[in-house]
Amino acid sequence: MGKAKKCFAYNTKIIETPTIKEVYIYENPIYIHSTAKHNPTESNKRKTFDEMSAQKQYDSLKRKQKHYEQTRWEIARIVDCNFDNRTKFVTLTFQENIQDITITNRKFKYFIQRLNYYIHQTKTQLLKYIATWEKQKRGAIHYHVIFFDFPYIAKEKLQNLWSHGFIKINRIDVDSKENRGRYLSKYFAKDLDLKEHKKKAFFKSQNLKMPIITKTFFTDDLLHNLSSENIIYTKRYSQKVYNSNLILAGNYPLKDSNVIYIKIRKEDAKAERGDPAEYS
């Protein structure tokens, strides 16, 4: 007999940052399954992007675009968790019209290494950042980078460390704490359809604070707590989920399931209140 499948189920997910609490209540429980390792020979049979039909390639690109759009909100949360009075938003451009993302990614990687050593005098990665690359219509590539806990460096020195073109230190123009992540993350969702399907679109250091995610079952206590909090936005929508009745039979069909989304502003964010930012 094979090993039994282990699973954990929840119908409520709570994501918390310093300023916002987001609650997702699912009509159908979400199951997390732990199964035996898949057969590597089966993975080897999966077609690469170039081997797919035109329709399959289109579907693959649409799935990736949706993934990046969802990632934008993950980035907004990470910004909220790490934002401080030394956060900087920098755009890096190339003087040459380099259109090969493999080349520019390598140059960006070496820049991060030089900058990290200049600031911290060590090869150990201590810089805190999130970055994305973007293509202009003419094909030229540039990078947007959010640096956290970033000390003052003269623009001329920073440009020398970059050494490939011009830099721009952008103003972070937001009206409230909870809007910082939304404002900055919009640069990470621009022109996703122009980004190459084989290349990673986002980069982040491994030393960032992350949102607190809790997965649980909805209870009367949770409902009572939500009713007393500062709810600023609610939304109902439908999503595709696995049909749990057929999972144990080895099938993984999808069905529609309703979701209630609740966005809550935390008390400590009210002091800098601006217009609510609905980004879900």
Side-chain angles (χ1 to χ4, degrees):
M1 294 180 61
K3 294 182 178 179
K5 296 180 180 179
K6 299 178 181 178
C7 69
F8 167 76
Y10 64 94
N11 69 353
T12 305
K13 180 170 67 174
I14 303 171
I15 305 176
E16 294 190 64
T17 69
T19 66
I20 293 295
K21 178 190 292 185
E22 299 170 272
V23 182
Y24 297 82
I25 303 172
Y26 303 97
E27 176 187 14
N28 297 101
I30 306 296
Y31 291 89
I32 303 174
H33 292 267
S34 175
T35 60
K37 290 184 178 180
H38 63 274
N39 188 337
T41 59
E42 295 180 0
S43 296
N44 292 338
K45 295 178 182 178
R46 295 180 62 182
K47 292 182 179 181
T48 65
F49 185 87
D50 292 333
E51 293 171 337
M52 294 178 185
S53 65
Q55 181 61 46
K56 292 291 185 181
Q57 287 183 344
Y58 173 82
D59 293 341
S60 176
L61 289 172
K62 294 300 289 185
R63 285 194 301 270
K64 187 166 187 178
Q65 182 177 13
K66 183 177 179 181
H67 166 72
Y68 283 148
E69 289 170 349
Q70 293 173 343
T71 302
R72 173 186 172 183
W73 312 128
E74 295 176 14
I75 290 171
R77 297 177 187 122
I78 293 173
V79 170
D80 194 10
C81 289
N82 293 274
F83 196 96
D84 57 24
N85 59 6
R86 300 212 302 174
T87 296
K88 301 292 190 302
F89 178 38
V90 178
T91 298
L92 308 170
T93 62
F94 287 90
Q95 190 170 10
E96 299 180 43
N97 186 12
I98 304 176
Q99 301 185 22
D100 188 334
I101 190 63
T102 302
I103 294 175
T104 60
N105 277 353
R106 185 166 59 246
K107 292 180 182 296
F108 174 78
K109 174 185 175 181
Y110 292 151
F111 162 69
I112 290 295
Q113 291 176 351
R114 291 194 300 273
L115 181 59
N116 181 80
Y117 190 83
Y118 174 78
I119 294 173
H120 299 289
Q121 297 297 302
T122 178
K123 293 183 179 180
T124 302
Q125 180 63 57
L126 298 179
L127 273 180
K128 297 180 180 181
Y129 68 91
I130 304 177
T132 186
W133 57 272
E134 183 181 341
K135 273 192 174 183
Q136 298 173 332
K137 290 183 179 180
R138 65 188 179 99
I141 296 169
H142 61 272
Y143 289 79
H144 297 298
V145 192
I146 305 169
F147 291 108
F148 304 103
D149 192 21
F150 195 70
Y152 170 79
I153 300 177
K155 183 177 180 180
E156 293 76 14
K157 180 60 182 180
L158 192 58
Q159 189 157 307
N160 288 338
L161 288 166
W162 169 234
S163 76
H164 300 297
F166 301 101
I167 67 165
K168 179 181 178 181
I169 301 176
N170 307 75
R171 180 184 178 189
I172 302 175
D173 188 10
V174 293
D175 56 0
S176 61
K177 286 183 178 180
E178 71 264 24
N179 284 345
R180 297 178 301 203
R182 181 177 181 270
Y183 172 82
L184 291 170
S185 67
K186 69 182 180 182
Y187 291 92
F188 287 67
K190 292 172 61 178
D191 301 326
L192 285 171
D193 56 329
L194 299 179
K195 296 197 173 184
E196 299 175 26
H197 64 275
K198 296 180 181 179
K199 304 302 179 184
K200 187 175 181 180
F202 307 110
F203 311 89
K204 68 180 180 66
S205 59
Q206 300 302 308
N207 54 355
L208 297 176
K209 297 176 184 177
M210 302 297 288
I212 298 171
I213 301 177
T214 303
K215 297 176 180 179
T216 184
F217 267 95
F218 192 82
T219 64
D220 291 339
D221 288 341
L222 178 58
L223 178 61
H224 175 74
N225 291 336
L226 289 177
S227 65
S228 64
E229 297 195 66
N230 183 27
I231 298 175
I232 59 174
Y233 181 67
T234 60
K235 178 181 179 181
R236 292 175 181 266
Y237 62 94
S238 179
Q239 69 175 18
K240 296 289 185 180
V241 300
Y242 288 116
N243 189 335
S244 59
N245 294 328
L246 299 176
I247 285 179
L248 295 180
N251 297 320
Y252 296 89
L254 295 173
K255 67 176 182 178
D256 289 326
S257 179
N258 294 322
V259 183
I260 299 175
Y261 170 80
I262 303 171
K263 183 177 178 181
I264 298 165
R265 180 187 290 115
K266 291 187 174 180
E267 291 298 321
D268 60 358
K270 288 184 179 180
E272 297 187 33
R273 180 173 178 176
D275 294 332
E278 275 69 294
Y279 59 83
S280 297

